[in-house]
Amino acid sequence: TTLLEAMVLNIIGLGLHDEKDVTVRGLELIKSSEKVFLEAYTSVLSVGKERLEAFYGREDIVIADRDFVECHAEDIYLPAKEGIVSFLVVGDPVCATTHSDIMIRAREAGVKVEVVHNASAMGAVGCCGLQLYNFGQTVSIPYFDENWRPTSFYPKIKYNRQGGMHTLCLLDIKVKEPDFEAMKRGKIVYLPPRFMSVNESSEQLIEAEDVRKGEAYIPNKTLCVGLARLGQPDQCIMAGTLEELKEQDFGSPLHCMVICGEVHEMELEALRPYLVENSMFQIDVEGSLFDREE
């Protein structure tokens, strides 16, 4: 190994399910690394750090939570000036802005960056039968609370749907969130992890339409798809309206969902097995809900 080859930051995608989803190349790089960090807040695998360590043959993986990645990123990429460092990411490394930020900062610091790709929700969502070519901008749905009920995702969904495009909605994850009430009493306490369900996001999307009233989608008519545990053996897919999906049981996390745009005949045929029984959805085609210029 030349000196240059021994100074690199590998950003390695781990896929969607468990320790065996890593690619052969990714695994070889992890085994040859001097330091290994696991990013643990934009997504999670179905297995913990211990299972990963056993499979990789090492016991020194450092968990990088939101605070670590956003406030101490240099502790991840600067050691790569001295040797090989691997930064492990659930899904694919280029699907979250956080990881792009680390790549940019590492390169600015003169660190060589190598990316090892893997499956992500952005590609795997195609398993429901909707064509990836027909998706528009992806949106994130954040948890609403008493004081903060943001609907910044709403205009993007409307933009997509006006163009006949589907919208992938990535649902909020709260990991290692501080308990502010406890902090007021001088204690540092973290809240239990929370993973937004299709049910919760459906309710929030219905509320967003009630507030915005822009007819970006119609809660009791627009076809949507709820997906849980994508890429895992027990993945769950159900299609129907928001009003229908909010009543279904999708099981354990992680969940995501799609708000359909124009649904073509082949897409509908592929979706049919996943439709909620007696679904009341109405298909949006040119000339109905889409006001398109010829």
Side-chain angles (χ1 to χ4, degrees):
T1 307
T2 67
L3 189 61
L4 264 177
E5 284 172 333
M7 294 161 58
V8 62
L9 172 66
N10 300 306
I11 305 186
I12 299 172
L14 298 183
L16 294 169
H17 177 29
D18 63 14
E19 72 275 23
K20 293 182 180 174
D21 278 18
V22 69
T23 63
V24 174
R25 179 164 163 250
L27 182 60
E28 287 173 349
L29 290 171
I30 293 166
K31 285 177 179 285
S32 68
S33 296
E34 280 145 66
K35 287 194 173 185
V36 179
F37 297 91
L38 172 64
E39 187 268 276
Y41 73 91
T42 60
S43 189
V44 291
L45 287 174
S46 66
V47 297
K49 177 176 93 118
E50 296 71 24
R51 282 269 294 271
L52 296 180
E53 287 180 330
F55 190 69
Y56 302 155
R58 52 191 312 148
E59 298 173 356
D60 58 350
I61 295 177
V62 177
I63 296 283
D65 59 22
R66 181 188 291 274
D67 179 66
F68 190 96
V69 174
E70 292 183 351
C71 304
H72 306 283
E74 63 280 359
D75 293 342
I76 295 169
Y77 60 78
L78 287 181
K81 286 192 159 191
E82 313 288 313
I84 302 174
V85 176
S86 285
F87 181 55
L88 313 183
V89 174
V90 176
D92 186 273
V94 297
C95 290
T97 47
T98 299
H99 313 137
S100 302
D101 178 61
I102 282 195
M103 288 179 212
I104 292 164
R105 290 168 66 178
R107 284 172 184 147
E108 284 173 350
V111 173
K112 185 185 175 193
V113 176
E114 290 280 349
V115 175
V116 181
H117 295 285
N118 209 317
S120 82
M122 287 185 170
V125 68
C127 70
C128 70
L130 295 172
Q131 295 292 316
L132 293 178
Y133 278 91
N134 300 334
F135 278 74
Q137 296 181 70
T138 296
V139 300
S140 297
I141 311 290
Y143 271 115
F144 288 178
D145 62 30
E146 306 87 72
N147 310 312
W148 195 60
R149 305 179 88 74
T151 55
S152 51
F153 52 81
Y154 185 89
K156 290 185 176 180
I157 297 171
K158 186 170 183 178
Y159 177 88
N160 285 347
R161 295 236 323 134
Q162 283 176 334
M165 295 177 284
H166 312 312
T167 307
L168 171 61
C169 303
L170 300 176
L171 311 186
D172 204 359
I173 292 174
K174 299 278 190 196
V175 181
K176 210 176 174 186
E177 291 287 314
D179 183 338
F180 293 112
E181 289 306 312
M183 285 174 90
K184 286 178 193 169
R185 299 190 297 274
K187 292 180 182 172
I188 296 178
V189 178
Y190 296 103
L191 296 166
R194 290 167 71 202
F195 305 96
M196 187 184 284
S197 65
V198 170
N199 315 73
E200 290 168 311
S201 63
S202 297
E203 286 177 3
Q204 290 193 185
L205 284 158
I206 291 167
E207 181 183 319
E209 181 56 61
D210 287 345
V211 171
R212 292 280 193 130
K213 295 182 167 53
E215 295 193 352
Y217 44 85
I218 302 170
N220 64 348
K221 288 185 180 175
T222 301
L223 183 58
C224 299
V225 186
L227 307 102
R229 299 172 303 285
L230 268 179
Q232 300 184 19
D234 64 342
Q235 78 175 14
C236 170
I237 303 171
M238 290 189 231
T241 67
L242 289 171
E243 296 283 3
E244 291 161 352
L245 293 183
K246 75 175 188 181
E247 306 298 336
Q248 307 305 313
D249 180 8
F250 286 86
S252 55
L254 293 170
H255 295 189
C256 63
M257 63 186 303
V258 180
I259 298 171
C260 297
E262 244 177 72
V263 180
H264 298 275
E265 229 172 274
M266 196 171 80
E267 289 179 305
L268 185 58
E269 277 313 302
L271 268 177
R272 208 172 286 285
Y274 308 120
L275 282 170
V276 171
E277 205 173 344
N278 302 319
S279 176
M280 302 298 288
F281 76 92
Q282 291 182 10
I283 283 294
D284 299 348
V285 291
E286 248 175 300
S288 61
L289 293 182
F290 290 106
D291 184 19
R292 309 288 283 290
E293 289 180 15
E294 286 301 317

